[in-house]
């Protein structure tokens, strides 16, 4: 938390930065094949610090799924491909309370 100025406290999450970001990743491999699944989570940015001075805004948590696969052709060459945000989840939209 930053120092208060003129009675207004500034905090992480103010005006659009998520308070928490998390990721879970798992990898499978068998011979020349490998696959990766990643779940990314973004928490709500939180509320503005002074509802009397600012409107209160909040967004929902959002989860994104990333998938990738690779094939090792030889010691020096491998093929790789993947999908970031595989289910085409839209980013958080601000809703006014």
């Amino acid at each position: 938390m930053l120092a208060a100025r003129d009675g207004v406290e500034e905090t992480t999450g103010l005006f659009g930065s998520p308070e928490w970001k998390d990721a879970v990743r798992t990898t499978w491999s068998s011979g020349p094949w490998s696959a990766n699944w990643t779940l990314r989570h973004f928490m709500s940015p939180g509320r503005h610090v002074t509802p009397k001075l600012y409107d209160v805004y909040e967004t929902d948590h959002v989860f994104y799924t990333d998938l990738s696969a690779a094939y090792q052709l030889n010691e020096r060459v491998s093929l790789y491909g993947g999908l970031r945000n595989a289910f085409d989840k839209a980013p958080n939209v601000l809703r006014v309370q």
Side-chain angles (χ1 to χ4, degrees):
M1 185 181 301
L2 300 176
R5 291 186 300 202
D6 299 326
V8 177
E9 290 182 353
E10 296 182 38
T11 62
T12 301
L14 180 62
F15 301 114
S17 297
E19 293 180 88
W20 290 95
K21 295 187 285 186
D22 313 294
V24 175
R25 178 174 299 177
T26 187
T27 301
W28 166 87
S29 61
S30 179
W33 290 97
S34 65
N36 183 326
W37 168 78
T38 303
L39 180 66
R40 295 179 289 133
H41 167 251
F42 294 86
M43 186 177 173
S44 169
R47 297 171 178 251
H48 293 1
V49 292
T50 57
K52 293 176 185 173
L53 298 176
Y54 301 100
D55 291 333
V56 177
Y57 296 107
E58 191 172 292
T59 59
D60 292 329
H61 295 245
V62 65
F63 292 88
Y64 297 106
T65 300
D66 304 330
L67 303 168
S68 63
Y71 182 78
Q72 184 89 30
L73 291 172
N74 58 44
E75 282 186 26
R76 298 175 57 173
V77 178
S78 62
L79 301 174
Y80 173 87
L83 296 171
R84 192 162 167 94
N85 190 11
F87 300 112
D88 200 26
K89 174 77 174 162
N92 283 331
V93 176
L94 212 54
R95 69 173 191 261
V96 178
Q97 292 184 340

